[in-house]
Amino acid sequence: MKYKNLGNTGLKVSELCLGCMSFGVPERGDHPWTLPEEPSRVLIRRAVDAGINYFDTANSYSDGTSEEIVGRALKEFTRRDEMVIATKVFFPMTQGPNGRGLSRKALFTAIDASLRRLGTDYVDLYQIHRWDYTTPIEETLEALHDIVKSGKVRYLGASSMYAWQFSKALHLARQHGWTAFVSMQNHYNLLYREEEREMMPLCIAERIAVVPWSPLARGRLTRAWDTETARTRTDEYGNKMYAATVDGDRKIVEQVAAIAAVRTGAATTTPRCTTSWTRSTRHGRAGCATSDSPARG
């Protein structure tokens, strides 16, 4: 396993990060295709044994159970100071009006809840899952800065927003002397390359780590196009996400499989081929390539 600095920081992370959205109680939250604890632990252990030290989850994944599973497994399999644990905040965790978003109140409540679920006293990378249009960004940034200064978070990151929004947040943090974002987790893979227009160049210019989510396109880049899995049957959000580009996506998936077969003689290495592309691009070299968990595609 190779390691690199996370953007313009001294934090050393494995070049591959294990995305943990596939881990969680299937009956909790919006992802009925997730793996329960025992099979999740097998994959987490394999990642640790392979040298991966970077694990990414979110408070909203499977209603918090992803954080619980990841926290328990890492506590058993490795030492906390050797691991980089990343989680995210934004989506609703309660039915009340303050149980969501990026207000000061919501953030202070959310970080404490995530720490309890993860079983740790700090998070290495705390990421805003989306832009909050109902809260002034200045309030969000100052609250995040205070959380860092409290010792509960080491670094800050962001995910999936317009480049102008990210640029504004970076500028405001520097202007006010607040802790700035060091990473961007955005949607980027062979089927979706819109980020190359603005967000990727911004991250390169600002030395921001790029940590693409769904580099395997929710499993589409791991298997034959017509393969049916528990996830393809139940992942409503993912199916909607790629619905408008089905014809073009199928050609790309089939071409990647053909290339993988020629180079290795085994179509099952398609995920490796796809991940290698992400890591080899100019944008991929700017940060890390998040790995979709192989669980259920």
Side-chain angles (χ1 to χ4, degrees):
M1 180 60 63
K2 295 180 180 179
Y3 300 87
K4 58 168 47 175
N5 287 31
L6 185 71
N8 192 28
T9 78
L11 181 65
K12 301 295 192 295
V13 295
S14 50
E15 198 170 43
L16 291 178
C17 168
L18 185 65
C20 299
M21 189 171 71
S22 291
F23 308 145
V25 176
E27 295 77 23
R28 300 271 297 275
D30 300 323
H31 302 147
W33 42 265
T34 56
L35 286 177
E37 186 155 7
E38 286 309 309
S40 295
R41 286 167 56 85
V42 173
L43 294 173
I44 295 170
R45 183 57 186 264
R46 287 178 63 183
V48 171
D49 291 345
I52 290 176
N53 75 340
Y54 185 7
F55 295 81
D56 177 81
T57 183
N59 63 348
S60 61
Y61 290 168
S62 297
D63 194 26
T65 60
S66 175
E67 286 184 326
E68 293 172 352
I69 290 171
V70 171
R72 285 193 290 264
L74 292 180
K75 186 174 183 178
E76 180 177 340
F77 297 152
T78 187
R79 291 172 45 185
R80 175 66 183 91
D81 60 356
E82 295 178 347
M83 293 295 105
V84 175
I85 298 177
T87 192
K88 297 183 280 294
V89 59
F90 171 75
F91 290 109
M93 292 300 292
T94 68
Q95 294 183 350
N98 290 307
R100 66 194 69 195
L102 304 176
S103 69
R104 185 176 185 86
K105 179 177 178 63
L107 288 170
F108 274 63
T109 299
I111 185 59
D112 287 342
S114 283
L115 293 178
R116 285 194 299 270
R117 287 189 291 266
L118 287 164
T120 184
D121 56 3
Y122 72 94
V123 166
D124 296 284
L125 181 63
Y126 200 43
Q127 304 154 110
I128 59 172
H129 216 155
R130 293 294 185 270
W131 184 272
D132 186 352
Y133 288 92
T134 68
T135 301
I137 185 60
E138 292 86 352
E139 177 181 340
T140 296
L141 294 174
E142 185 175 20
L144 290 170
H145 173 73
D146 290 342
I147 290 173
V148 171
K149 293 305 178 183
S150 74
K152 297 177 181 180
V153 166
R154 300 292 187 256
Y155 300 91
L156 298 175
S159 176
S160 290
M161 61 184 64
Y162 292 112
W164 70 263
Q165 293 171 326
F166 193 45
S167 180
K168 179 179 180 180
L170 293 174
H171 171 74
L172 286 172
R174 292 164 184 164
Q175 182 183 45
H176 291 276
W178 297 327
T179 306
F181 296 123
V182 302
S183 65
M184 166 51 62
Q185 186 171 139
N186 51 350
H187 183 204
Y188 182 59
N189 55 52
L190 272 167
L191 305 186
Y192 184 82
R193 300 176 62 180
E194 176 64 28
E195 297 294 286
E196 293 178 4
R197 296 183 190 272
E198 295 186 358
M199 183 59 80
M200 294 300 203
L202 171 62
C203 290
I204 290 173
E206 297 292 337
R207 299 186 67 185
I208 300 295
V210 174
V211 191
W213 61 263
S214 201
L216 302 178
R218 300 176 90 88
R220 286 164 175 76
L221 289 163
T222 68
R223 55 180 179 256
W225 181 261
D226 294 322
T227 302
E228 187 175 274
T229 69
R231 184 165 184 176
T232 62
R233 292 191 298 270
T234 60
D235 188 2
E236 295 180 4
Y237 180 77
N239 292 335
K240 183 185 299 183
M241 182 187 303
Y242 295 100
T245 54
V246 170
D247 292 339
D249 291 350
R250 178 169 190 150
K251 293 177 182 179
I252 294 172
V253 170
E254 291 174 347
Q255 187 61 44
V256 172
I259 293 172
V262 169
R263 291 179 63 85
T264 65
T268 54
T269 59
T270 298
R272 291 186 180 181
C273 187
T274 302
T275 303
S276 295
W277 175 85
T278 304
R279 295 164 65 188
S280 67
T281 66
R282 178 175 179 234
H283 314 298
R285 291 194 300 272
C288 308
T290 351
S291 177
D292 273 341
S293 168
R296 302 190 182 184

